[in-house]
Amino acid sequence: ATALYALAVSAPAAGPDALAAAAETATRCASACIGNRAHALGAAHCALTCASLDALRALAPHAVAAHGEAAAPLIDGAVQAAIGALENRVAPAPEPVARAAAWLLLAAAKTARNRPWLANSPQIAQLADGGAAALARQVNASARALVYRAGVAARLAGESTRLNE
């Protein structure tokens, strides 16, 4: 988990290739942790899940700034990971995981503002069109407000894109 935080801090300064590799690593780690519901295995696995989501939250805006439209798959993967963490399949995610996923959704939605290629992505559009409200009903109170804010940010990103066209 500590390595993911260090990676998130150092990768943007290392250049675009290192940034892309770090973002891909964080995406794979988050997807694996969430897909396997690793947080149910104990505190260490919960910390790893949170660290991977936090690393994605830190890396996503830098990746978009460095790579432009080529970063769209990264953002889509990050949003899918966050949605997967918030979905209530068997039991709700623990509060730290839900909060980290909600922060990631908010960061992705804010990154989409004034970027039509990102604001029109299916995952961001889903957040804007009620997906955030559906997710918010499945999480605890501390994450709920962040998920609603992500939905509003996604909606504003889509509207600003339509106004600029």
Side-chain angles (χ1 to χ4, degrees):
T2 305
L4 283 168
Y5 285 117
L7 191 64
V9 171
S10 63
D17 293 335
L19 178 61
E24 179 62 32
T25 300
T27 302
R28 277 188 306 203
C29 184
S31 297
C33 286
I34 292 160
N36 296 325
R37 301 307 265 183
H39 57 267
L41 297 174
H45 289 88
C46 184
L48 180 61
T49 304
C50 290
S52 62
L53 291 168
D54 287 342
L56 277 174
R57 177 174 49 104
L59 292 169
H62 294 293
V64 168
H67 296 285
E69 287 187 50
L74 166 71
I75 300 298
D76 288 343
V79 171
Q80 286 174 347
I83 289 172
L86 294 173
E87 286 177 337
N88 189 354
R89 289 185 223 147
V90 176
E95 183 180 351
V97 172
R99 206 172 38 244
W103 275 114
L104 175 55
L105 284 180
L106 181 59
K110 284 182 172 183
T111 301
R113 191 170 184 121
N114 296 323
R115 292 179 174 94
W117 53 271
L118 188 53
N120 295 327
S121 79
Q123 285 78 19
I124 299 293
Q126 176 188 3
L127 285 176
D129 294 336
L135 286 171
R137 287 190 289 272
Q138 300 179 33
V139 297
N140 56 40
S142 65
R144 187 173 302 129
L146 292 169
V147 173
Y148 280 130
R149 283 178 57 195
V152 169
R155 181 73 147 190
L156 290 173
E159 289 178 7
S160 71
T161 299
R162 285 187 281 285
L163 289 175
N164 290 335
E165 290 178 346

